[in-house]
């Protein structure tokens, strides 16, 4: 046999032996893949290059799945015993003037106001501020319910000080403090939505506003001159809000957390009212509407359109027989399962299991069910 033929035969034999000894695909590529990936893939697992190849071939590529929602945990026994429902409704009550002789539709007398507060205290409500509500910082004892007391237009009937520096009798502030003293657990707080007149404090604006803040009350923005924002362009909206905010900051050194629309009218774009860099930025914006607000933990909660309930008895005017404060408080009393009831722990959100779908997804880690 010629020498070249012998050499060729040896090469063929060596190739067969090596092929049996070093397993791999015929193209030699799999051994490189194993080295890159650190081991064999499970059956059906996509190789690193497969997705690119599929896209190039026009095949759809699998998208990364969203992270699974956090798990809702079990409620504390005390919270279940209190029948906590922190996805229930919260009344945000809207007041205007508190006067002895009402002559405007939104007026209430000191007697009517006092009676409504006594009712709230007796039915287990605890006042919180509008800013606390809008940001979801609700710290109320177990079994009790939050209520937000709001006052529009900063009139002297809301707040005035006597020569001794005490709130004048029958003003809103004086009545709130009176009821709080008589009903332990009823917190003496409210949110006052300010216009430029500032309770007609006549040179004592800074001292008066600081007194309110120092004594647990909150200040809110109600625009400088109470114009209907729905009629104004962007510049007009921002000037009305911004000028009022600047005035409050000048007098108190602090910005407000919330805005209430004059007449409940929103501008063409909510963003104009929500914030203006370096001037104002609100956690919540309140309407003048006709129903309790959803819980700030509810998927339906819109912090830029928070409804309020007008304070009024069951009178025929403006459908108050159904939609003002007396009617709504009656309904929440008759249907307690619809009312926000606290679990006593501001770090958790407790509710009956049947309500679980209403909890905002990003809050599920705080959720507790029973």
């Amino acid at each position: 046999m010629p020498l070249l033929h012998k050499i060729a035969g040896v090469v063929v034999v060596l190739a067969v032996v090596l092929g049996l000894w070093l397993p791999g695909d015929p193209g030699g590529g799999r051994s490189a893949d194993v080295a890159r990936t650190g081991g064999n893939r499970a059956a059906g697992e996509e190789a690193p290059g497969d997705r690119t190849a599929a896209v190039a071939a026009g095949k759809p590529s699998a998208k990364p799945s969203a992270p699974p929602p956090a798990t809702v945990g079990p409620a504390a026994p005390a919270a279940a015993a209190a029948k906590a429902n922190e996805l229930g409704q919260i009344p945000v009550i809207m007041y205007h003037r508190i006067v002895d002789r009402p002559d405007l539709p939104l007026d209430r007398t000191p007697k009517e106001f006092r009676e409504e507060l006594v009712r709230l205290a007796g039915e287990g409500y605890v006042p919180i501020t509008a800013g606390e509500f809008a940001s979801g910082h609700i710290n109320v004892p177990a079994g009790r319910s939050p209520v937000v007391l709001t006052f529009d237009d900063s009139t002297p009937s809301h707040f005035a000080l006597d020569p001794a520096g005490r709130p004048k009798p029958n003003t809103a502030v004086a009545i709130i403090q009176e009821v709080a003293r008589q009903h332990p657990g009823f917190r003496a707080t409210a949110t006052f939505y300010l216009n430029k007149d500032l309770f007609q404090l006549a040179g004592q604006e800074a001292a008066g506003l600081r007194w309110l803040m120092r004594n647990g009350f909150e200040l809110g923005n109600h625009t400088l001159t109470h114009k209907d924002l729905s009629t104004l362009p962007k510049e007009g909206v921002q000037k009305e809000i911004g000028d009022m905010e600047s005035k409050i900051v000048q007098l108190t050194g602090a910005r407000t957390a919330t805005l209430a629309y004059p007449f409940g009218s929103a501008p063409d774009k909510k963003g104009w009212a929500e914030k203006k860099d370096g001037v104002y930025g609100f956690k919540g914006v309140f309407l003048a509407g006709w129903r309790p607000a959803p819980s700030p933990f509810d998927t339906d909660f819109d912090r830029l359109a928070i409804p309020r309930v007008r304070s009024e008895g069951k009178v025929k005017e403006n459908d108050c027989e159904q939609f003002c404060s007396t009617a709504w408080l009656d309904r929440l009393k008759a249907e307690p399962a619809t009312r926000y009831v606290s679990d006593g722990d501001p770090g958790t959100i407790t509710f009956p299991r049947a309500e679980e779908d209403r909890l905002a997804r990003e809050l599920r880690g705080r959720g507790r069910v029973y």
Side-chain angles (χ1 to χ4, degrees):
M1 178 181 296
L3 179 60
L4 291 177
H5 287 186
K6 291 181 179 180
I7 293 173
V10 170
V11 170
V12 170
V13 170
L14 287 173
V16 171
V17 170
L18 289 172
L20 294 173
W21 184 43
L22 299 174
D25 61 24
R30 191 171 188 277
S31 61
D33 281 347
V34 171
R36 285 193 299 266
T37 61
N40 295 336
R41 279 180 292 277
E45 183 179 349
E46 187 179 59
D50 292 346
R51 184 170 297 169
T52 303
V55 172
K59 297 178 181 179
S61 173
K63 295 181 180 179
S65 59
T71 302
V72 172
K83 297 183 178 180
N85 181 12
E86 295 183 313
L87 295 177
Q89 300 178 90
I90 298 174
V92 181
I93 305 180
M94 178 184 69
Y95 298 94
H96 286 75
R97 298 194 309 167
I98 309 296
V99 292
D100 291 322
R101 297 179 181 177
D103 59 5
L104 296 173
L106 298 175
D107 290 346
R108 303 235 72 189
T109 69
K111 179 177 182 292
E112 290 169 334
F113 179 51
R114 185 177 287 105
E115 288 174 348
E116 185 157 79
L117 294 189
V118 169
R119 174 181 183 172
L120 290 168
E123 293 182 3
Y125 287 96
V126 177
I128 63 173
T129 69
E132 290 166 344
F133 168 72
S135 57
H137 296 150
I138 300 177
N139 189 2
V140 171
R144 307 290 289 274
S145 298
V147 62
V148 185
L149 310 176
T150 66
F151 295 82
D152 289 7
D153 306 339
S154 55
T155 72
S157 71
H158 299 159
F159 173 63
L161 295 175
D162 66 16
R166 295 175 299 231
K168 288 185 177 180
N170 282 343
T171 59
V173 169
I175 295 170
I176 291 170
Q177 290 186 326
E178 172 194 320
V179 173
R181 286 192 299 269
Q182 296 170 351
H183 297 268
F186 190 80
R187 181 180 168 204
T189 194
T191 300
F192 292 94
Y193 285 109
L194 309 178
N195 300 122
K196 67 177 182 179
D197 289 341
L198 295 174
F199 311 107
Q200 297 180 18
L201 288 171
Q204 299 299 312
E205 292 92 347
L209 297 184
R210 289 175 184 273
W211 187 99
L212 286 169
M213 296 169 65
R214 191 167 60 250
N215 285 274
F217 295 94
E218 182 184 51
L219 309 179
N221 192 318
H222 199 42
T223 76
L224 190 71
T225 64
H226 205 276
K227 289 182 179 177
D228 184 341
L229 299 185
S230 69
T231 68
L232 300 180
K234 177 180 179 180
E235 295 76 14
V237 170
Q238 293 184 331
K239 179 173 175 56
E240 272 290 309
I241 299 170
D243 285 357
M244 189 67 235
E245 192 71 12
S246 296
K247 187 176 183 72
I248 296 168
V249 171
Q250 178 186 5
L251 293 168
T252 68
R255 290 187 178 179
T256 63
T258 61
L259 167 76
Y261 290 135
F263 311 106
S265 297
D268 286 347
K269 293 186 178 180
K270 291 180 181 179
W272 299 349
E274 177 192 4
K275 65 181 177 180
K276 181 180 180 182
D277 290 344
V279 182
Y280 59 83
F282 299 115
K283 296 177 182 176
V285 179
F286 288 79
L287 309 176
W290 300 92
R291 64 182 178 86
S295 164
F297 313 129
D298 194 311
T299 54
D300 288 340
F301 179 70
D302 180 355
R303 68 180 184 87
L304 300 183
I306 302 172
R308 294 188 287 170
V309 175
R310 169 186 166 183
S311 176
E312 185 55 86
K314 287 185 173 179
V315 298
K316 292 183 178 180
E317 177 207 350
N318 290 326
D319 292 326
C320 277
E321 290 175 308
Q322 299 182 64
F323 300 116
C324 290
S325 60
T326 299
W328 275 112
L329 291 175
D330 285 351
R331 196 174 309 174
L332 291 170
K333 182 179 180 180
E335 302 170 4
T338 66
R339 167 176 159 177
Y340 185 113
V341 177
S342 175
D343 67 2
D345 182 351
T348 58
I349 304 166
T350 301
F351 46 86
R353 187 174 297 278
E355 306 292 338
E356 184 172 346
D357 289 346
R358 291 171 48 204
L359 179 65
R361 179 186 176 95
E362 67 273 14
L363 299 174
R364 286 183 60 83
R366 292 171 58 193
R368 303 290 184 271
V369 296
Y370 62 94

